[in-house]
Amino acid sequence: MGNNFTINMEENFKKNQEFITEMNTIKIERQLQMENIMRERKIALEIAKSRELFFWYGAFYLTSVTWAVTSYRYKRNPLFLLPIVPLSFIIAYQADLSYGNKLHRVIMEAEHILQFESDLLSLPLGVPTASSIDLKRFENDEQKKLHPVLPPI
């Protein structure tokens, strides 16, 4: 009787371990999926912002070019056309970012960095460990004990 009870407890323990492992796996997968969805939404928001900014830059560019060409026609001074050059670069950059393939080029460059220049990504003093985090928490607690925050008057 006692032997069967022990065997049943071991089987239940193994089943519980498998269940917990499966639940943790599902939890991690859901968390990764949620983080990916949030990342995609943030990127979509940034693209939408850059497109909105492009409309404003475009309106400013067209107004400036119209003013520059009109001023050049009346005054015949080529200095009035000079702002068109830098403004053209700005509007071309924003158009490429908003509607071109600049985002794809940025992603490709990021992948290149991850694959071939990963040494650039290392953190100062390395990746924090659980013990280093606990040590910092202990130091902060000690600081609070030595220098308590005074209540507001």
PDB file of all heavy atoms in Angstrom, residues 56-77:
ATOM      1  N   TRP A  56       4.023  67.816 -44.061  1.00  0.00           N
ATOM      2  CA  TRP A  56       4.360  69.149 -43.604  1.00  0.00           C
ATOM      3  C   TRP A  56       5.640  69.666 -44.276  1.00  0.00           C
ATOM      4  O   TRP A  56       5.705  70.825 -44.688  1.00  0.00           O
ATOM      5  CB  TRP A  56       4.528  69.161 -42.083  1.00  0.00           C
ATOM      6  CG  TRP A  56       3.208  69.126 -41.383  1.00  0.00           C
ATOM      7  CD1 TRP A  56       2.540  68.030 -40.939  1.00  0.00           C
ATOM      8  CD2 TRP A  56       2.380  70.248 -41.081  1.00  0.00           C
ATOM      9  NE1 TRP A  56       1.357  68.388 -40.372  1.00  0.00           N
ATOM     10  CE2 TRP A  56       1.235  69.753 -40.439  1.00  0.00           C
ATOM     11  CE3 TRP A  56       2.498  71.618 -41.272  1.00  0.00           C
ATOM     12  CZ2 TRP A  56       0.206  70.593 -39.996  1.00  0.00           C
ATOM     13  CZ3 TRP A  56       1.487  72.446 -40.823  1.00  0.00           C
ATOM     14  CH2 TRP A  56       0.363  71.924 -40.201  1.00  0.00           C
ATOM     15  N   TYR A  57       6.652  68.810 -44.356  1.00  0.00           N
ATOM     16  CA  TYR A  57       7.876  69.210 -45.064  1.00  0.00           C
ATOM     17  C   TYR A  57       7.585  69.505 -46.528  1.00  0.00           C
ATOM     18  O   TYR A  57       8.157  70.436 -47.101  1.00  0.00           O
ATOM     19  CB  TYR A  57       8.936  68.109 -44.973  1.00  0.00           C
ATOM     20  CG  TYR A  57       9.694  68.052 -43.676  1.00  0.00           C
ATOM     21  CD1 TYR A  57      10.451  66.926 -43.363  1.00  0.00           C
ATOM     22  CD2 TYR A  57       9.695  69.083 -42.765  1.00  0.00           C
ATOM     23  CE1 TYR A  57      11.167  66.845 -42.177  1.00  0.00           C
ATOM     24  CE2 TYR A  57      10.398  69.013 -41.585  1.00  0.00           C
ATOM     25  CZ  TYR A  57      11.130  67.888 -41.301  1.00  0.00           C
ATOM     26  OH  TYR A  57      11.839  67.808 -40.130  1.00  0.00           O
ATOM     27  N   GLY A  58       6.737  68.702 -47.121  1.00  0.00           N
ATOM     28  CA  GLY A  58       6.386  68.916 -48.529  1.00  0.00           C
ATOM     29  C   GLY A  58       5.705  70.254 -48.740  1.00  0.00           C
ATOM     30  O   GLY A  58       6.016  70.979 -49.694  1.00  0.00           O
ATOM     31  N   ALA A  59       4.775  70.603 -47.870  1.00  0.00           N
ATOM     32  CA  ALA A  59       4.102  71.895 -47.976  1.00  0.00           C
ATOM     33  C   ALA A  59       5.094  73.041 -47.788  1.00  0.00           C
ATOM     34  O   ALA A  59       5.074  74.033 -48.544  1.00  0.00           O
ATOM     35  CB  ALA A  59       2.982  71.983 -46.941  1.00  0.00           C
ATOM     36  N   PHE A  60       5.992  72.891 -46.809  1.00  0.00           N
ATOM     37  CA  PHE A  60       7.006  73.913 -46.588  1.00  0.00           C
ATOM     38  C   PHE A  60       7.935  74.021 -47.796  1.00  0.00           C
ATOM     39  O   PHE A  60       8.287  75.119 -48.231  1.00  0.00           O
ATOM     40  CB  PHE A  60       7.814  73.600 -45.325  1.00  0.00           C
ATOM     41  CG  PHE A  60       8.948  74.550 -45.087  1.00  0.00           C
ATOM     42  CD1 PHE A  60       8.717  75.831 -44.632  1.00  0.00           C
ATOM     43  CD2 PHE A  60      10.257  74.154 -45.329  1.00  0.00           C
ATOM     44  CE1 PHE A  60       9.759  76.710 -44.409  1.00  0.00           C
ATOM     45  CE2 PHE A  60      11.303  75.025 -45.113  1.00  0.00           C
ATOM     46  CZ  PHE A  60      11.058  76.308 -44.654  1.00  0.00           C
ATOM     47  N   TYR A  61       8.321  72.875 -48.354  1.00  0.00           N
ATOM     48  CA  TYR A  61       9.220  72.848 -49.501  1.00  0.00           C
ATOM     49  C   TYR A  61       8.581  73.536 -50.705  1.00  0.00           C
ATOM     50  O   TYR A  61       9.211  74.368 -51.361  1.00  0.00           O
ATOM     51  CB  TYR A  61       9.575  71.399 -49.834  1.00  0.00           C
ATOM     52  CG  TYR A  61      10.482  71.243 -51.020  1.00  0.00           C
ATOM     53  CD1 TYR A  61      11.829  71.550 -50.932  1.00  0.00           C
ATOM     54  CD2 TYR A  61       9.990  70.777 -52.240  1.00  0.00           C
ATOM     55  CE1 TYR A  61      12.669  71.403 -52.012  1.00  0.00           C
ATOM     56  CE2 TYR A  61      10.823  70.624 -53.326  1.00  0.00           C
ATOM     57  CZ  TYR A  61      12.158  70.938 -53.215  1.00  0.00           C
ATOM     58  OH  TYR A  61      12.979  70.799 -54.293  1.00  0.00           O
ATOM     59  N   LEU A  62       7.338  73.183 -50.987  1.00  0.00           N
ATOM     60  CA  LEU A  62       6.660  73.798 -52.136  1.00  0.00           C
ATOM     61  C   LEU A  62       6.492  75.301 -51.943  1.00  0.00           C
ATOM     62  O   LEU A  62       6.686  76.083 -52.888  1.00  0.00           O
ATOM     63  CB  LEU A  62       5.308  73.136 -52.369  1.00  0.00           C
ATOM     64  CG  LEU A  62       5.358  71.707 -52.904  1.00  0.00           C
ATOM     65  CD1 LEU A  62       3.968  71.120 -52.989  1.00  0.00           C
ATOM     66  CD2 LEU A  62       6.051  71.661 -54.259  1.00  0.00           C
ATOM     67  N   THR A  63       6.164  75.716 -50.743  1.00  0.00           N
ATOM     68  CA  THR A  63       6.035  77.148 -50.461  1.00  0.00           C
ATOM     69  C   THR A  63       7.377  77.846 -50.633  1.00  0.00           C
ATOM     70  O   THR A  63       7.462  78.921 -51.257  1.00  0.00           O
ATOM     71  CB  THR A  63       5.516  77.361 -49.028  1.00  0.00           C
ATOM     72  OG1 THR A  63       4.278  76.658 -48.877  1.00  0.00           O
ATOM     73  CG2 THR A  63       5.308  78.831 -48.731  1.00  0.00           C
ATOM     74  N   SER A  64       8.439  77.242 -50.113  1.00  0.00           N
ATOM     75  CA  SER A  64       9.767  77.854 -50.202  1.00  0.00           C
ATOM     76  C   SER A  64      10.265  77.917 -51.643  1.00  0.00           C
ATOM     77  O   SER A  64      10.834  78.935 -52.064  1.00  0.00           O
ATOM     78  CB  SER A  64      10.767  77.064 -49.358  1.00  0.00           C
ATOM     79  OG  SER A  64      10.382  77.076 -48.026  1.00  0.00           O
ATOM     80  N   VAL A  65      10.050  76.843 -52.390  1.00  0.00           N
ATOM     81  CA  VAL A  65      10.497  76.830 -53.791  1.00  0.00           C
ATOM     82  C   VAL A  65       9.710  77.860 -54.593  1.00  0.00           C
ATOM     83  O   VAL A  65      10.288  78.587 -55.413  1.00  0.00           O
ATOM     84  CB  VAL A  65      10.372  75.412 -54.391  1.00  0.00           C
ATOM     85  CG1 VAL A  65      10.529  75.435 -55.895  1.00  0.00           C
ATOM     86  CG2 VAL A  65      11.412  74.490 -53.767  1.00  0.00           C
ATOM     87  N   THR A  66       8.416  77.948 -54.359  1.00  0.00           N
ATOM     88  CA  THR A  66       7.595  78.936 -55.067  1.00  0.00           C
ATOM     89  C   THR A  66       8.092  80.343 -54.753  1.00  0.00           C
ATOM     90  O   THR A  66       8.251  81.180 -55.654  1.00  0.00           O
ATOM     91  CB  THR A  66       6.112  78.792 -54.663  1.00  0.00           C
ATOM     92  OG1 THR A  66       5.697  77.462 -54.933  1.00  0.00           O
ATOM     93  CG2 THR A  66       5.238  79.769 -55.409  1.00  0.00           C
ATOM     94  N   TRP A  67       8.353  80.615 -53.474  1.00  0.00           N
ATOM     95  CA  TRP A  67       8.858  81.916 -53.081  1.00  0.00           C
ATOM     96  C   TRP A  67      10.225  82.188 -53.716  1.00  0.00           C
ATOM     97  O   TRP A  67      10.481  83.293 -54.211  1.00  0.00           O
ATOM     98  CB  TRP A  67       8.959  81.985 -51.565  1.00  0.00           C
ATOM     99  CG  TRP A  67       9.587  83.248 -51.073  1.00  0.00           C
ATOM    100  CD1 TRP A  67       8.981  84.437 -50.883  1.00  0.00           C
ATOM    101  CD2 TRP A  67      10.969  83.439 -50.764  1.00  0.00           C
ATOM    102  NE1 TRP A  67       9.890  85.370 -50.448  1.00  0.00           N
ATOM    103  CE2 TRP A  67      11.129  84.788 -50.368  1.00  0.00           C
ATOM    104  CE3 TRP A  67      12.085  82.615 -50.773  1.00  0.00           C
ATOM    105  CZ2 TRP A  67      12.355  85.318 -49.991  1.00  0.00           C
ATOM    106  CZ3 TRP A  67      13.303  83.146 -50.402  1.00  0.00           C
ATOM    107  CH2 TRP A  67      13.439  84.474 -50.010  1.00  0.00           C
ATOM    108  N   ALA A  68      11.113  81.187 -53.710  1.00  0.00           N
ATOM    109  CA  ALA A  68      12.470  81.372 -54.249  1.00  0.00           C
ATOM    110  C   ALA A  68      12.432  81.639 -55.750  1.00  0.00           C
ATOM    111  O   ALA A  68      13.124  82.539 -56.252  1.00  0.00           O
ATOM    112  CB  ALA A  68      13.325  80.150 -53.949  1.00  0.00           C
ATOM    113  N   VAL A  69      11.623  80.874 -56.482  1.00  0.00           N
ATOM    114  CA  VAL A  69      11.550  81.054 -57.941  1.00  0.00           C
ATOM    115  C   VAL A  69      10.918  82.401 -58.277  1.00  0.00           C
ATOM    116  O   VAL A  69      11.385  83.114 -59.182  1.00  0.00           O
ATOM    117  CB  VAL A  69      10.771  79.878 -58.593  1.00  0.00           C
ATOM    118  CG1 VAL A  69      10.456  80.168 -60.032  1.00  0.00           C
ATOM    119  CG2 VAL A  69      11.575  78.594 -58.451  1.00  0.00           C
ATOM    120  N   THR A  70       9.874  82.765 -57.528  1.00  0.00           N
ATOM    121  CA  THR A  70       9.234  84.064 -57.767  1.00  0.00           C
ATOM    122  C   THR A  70      10.199  85.211 -57.481  1.00  0.00           C
ATOM    123  O   THR A  70      10.290  86.170 -58.256  1.00  0.00           O
ATOM    124  CB  THR A  70       7.972  84.193 -56.884  1.00  0.00           C
ATOM    125  OG1 THR A  70       7.106  83.094 -57.140  1.00  0.00           O
ATOM    126  CG2 THR A  70       7.233  85.488 -57.165  1.00  0.00           C
ATOM    127  N   SER A  71      10.921  85.109 -56.383  1.00  0.00           N
ATOM    128  CA  SER A  71      11.901  86.150 -56.039  1.00  0.00           C
ATOM    129  C   SER A  71      13.008  86.216 -57.085  1.00  0.00           C
ATOM    130  O   SER A  71      13.456  87.318 -57.452  1.00  0.00           O
ATOM    131  CB  SER A  71      12.515  85.875 -54.669  1.00  0.00           C
ATOM    132  OG  SER A  71      11.526  85.918 -53.676  1.00  0.00           O
ATOM    133  N   TYR A  72      13.436  85.069 -57.577  1.00  0.00           N
ATOM    134  CA  TYR A  72      14.484  85.051 -58.605  1.00  0.00           C
ATOM    135  C   TYR A  72      13.987  85.725 -59.890  1.00  0.00           C
ATOM    136  O   TYR A  72      14.730  86.464 -60.536  1.00  0.00           O
ATOM    137  CB  TYR A  72      14.924  83.623 -58.888  1.00  0.00           C
ATOM    138  CG  TYR A  72      15.897  83.521 -60.042  1.00  0.00           C
ATOM    139  CD1 TYR A  72      17.215  83.944 -59.898  1.00  0.00           C
ATOM    140  CD2 TYR A  72      15.491  83.042 -61.282  1.00  0.00           C
ATOM    141  CE1 TYR A  72      18.099  83.877 -60.945  1.00  0.00           C
ATOM    142  CE2 TYR A  72      16.366  82.964 -62.342  1.00  0.00           C
ATOM    143  CZ  TYR A  72      17.672  83.390 -62.174  1.00  0.00           C
ATOM    144  OH  TYR A  72      18.541  83.321 -63.232  1.00  0.00           O
ATOM    145  N   ARG A  73      12.748  85.466 -60.260  1.00  0.00           N
ATOM    146  CA  ARG A  73      12.202  86.048 -61.494  1.00  0.00           C
ATOM    147  C   ARG A  73      12.160  87.573 -61.422  1.00  0.00           C
ATOM    148  O   ARG A  73      12.427  88.247 -62.420  1.00  0.00           O
ATOM    149  CB  ARG A  73      10.799  85.529 -61.758  1.00  0.00           C
ATOM    150  CG  ARG A  73      10.785  84.171 -62.351  1.00  0.00           C
ATOM    151  CD  ARG A  73       9.383  83.826 -62.765  1.00  0.00           C
ATOM    152  NE  ARG A  73       9.402  82.622 -63.580  1.00  0.00           N
ATOM    153  CZ  ARG A  73       8.333  82.040 -64.029  1.00  0.00           C
ATOM    154  NH1 ARG A  73       7.145  82.539 -63.763  1.00  0.00           N
ATOM    155  NH2 ARG A  73       8.427  80.948 -64.750  1.00  0.00           N
ATOM    156  N   TYR A  74      11.798  88.099 -60.248  1.00  0.00           N
ATOM    157  CA  TYR A  74      11.680  89.550 -60.133  1.00  0.00           C
ATOM    158  C   TYR A  74      13.027  90.227 -59.897  1.00  0.00           C
ATOM    159  O   TYR A  74      13.279  91.301 -60.438  1.00  0.00           O
ATOM    160  CB  TYR A  74      10.716  89.931 -59.009  1.00  0.00           C
ATOM    161  CG  TYR A  74       9.275  89.664 -59.378  1.00  0.00           C
ATOM    162  CD1 TYR A  74       8.509  88.765 -58.659  1.00  0.00           C
ATOM    163  CD2 TYR A  74       8.679  90.315 -60.456  1.00  0.00           C
ATOM    164  CE1 TYR A  74       7.191  88.504 -58.998  1.00  0.00           C
ATOM    165  CE2 TYR A  74       7.364  90.066 -60.810  1.00  0.00           C
ATOM    166  CZ  TYR A  74       6.625  89.158 -60.076  1.00  0.00           C
ATOM    167  OH  TYR A  74       5.326  88.903 -60.419  1.00  0.00           O
ATOM    168  N   LYS A  75      13.896  89.627 -59.132  1.00  0.00           N
ATOM    169  CA  LYS A  75      15.165  90.274 -58.769  1.00  0.00           C
ATOM    170  C   LYS A  75      16.340  89.820 -59.622  1.00  0.00           C
ATOM    171  O   LYS A  75      17.373  90.459 -59.625  1.00  0.00           O
ATOM    172  CB  LYS A  75      15.505  89.984 -57.298  1.00  0.00           C
ATOM    173  CG  LYS A  75      14.419  90.344 -56.315  1.00  0.00           C
ATOM    174  CD  LYS A  75      14.418  91.802 -56.023  1.00  0.00           C
ATOM    175  CE  LYS A  75      13.350  92.058 -54.950  1.00  0.00           C
ATOM    176  NZ  LYS A  75      13.279  93.369 -54.488  1.00  0.00           N
ATOM    177  N   ARG A  76      16.221  88.681 -60.251  1.00  0.00           N
ATOM    178  CA  ARG A  76      17.303  88.092 -61.064  1.00  0.00           C
ATOM    179  C   ARG A  76      18.583  87.874 -60.254  1.00  0.00           C
ATOM    180  O   ARG A  76      19.692  87.980 -60.751  1.00  0.00           O
ATOM    181  CB  ARG A  76      17.617  88.962 -62.288  1.00  0.00           C
ATOM    182  CG  ARG A  76      16.545  89.010 -63.307  1.00  0.00           C
ATOM    183  CD  ARG A  76      16.444  87.690 -63.998  1.00  0.00           C
ATOM    184  NE  ARG A  76      15.380  87.758 -65.001  1.00  0.00           N
ATOM    185  CZ  ARG A  76      14.706  86.723 -65.407  1.00  0.00           C
ATOM    186  NH1 ARG A  76      14.989  85.550 -64.938  1.00  0.00           N
ATOM    187  NH2 ARG A  76      13.766  86.844 -66.302  1.00  0.00           N
ATOM    188  N   ASN A  77      18.396  87.523 -58.982  1.00  0.00           N
ATOM    189  CA  ASN A  77      19.528  87.254 -58.108  1.00  0.00           C
ATOM    190  C   ASN A  77      19.534  85.746 -57.802  1.00  0.00           C
ATOM    191  O   ASN A  77      18.596  85.229 -57.182  1.00  0.00           O
ATOM    192  CB  ASN A  77      19.394  88.060 -56.813  1.00  0.00           C
ATOM    193  CG  ASN A  77      20.614  87.941 -55.926  1.00  0.00           C
ATOM    194  OD1 ASN A  77      21.514  87.147 -56.183  1.00  0.00           O
ATOM    195  ND2 ASN A  77      20.634  88.740 -54.868  1.00  0.00           N
TER     196      ASN A  77
END
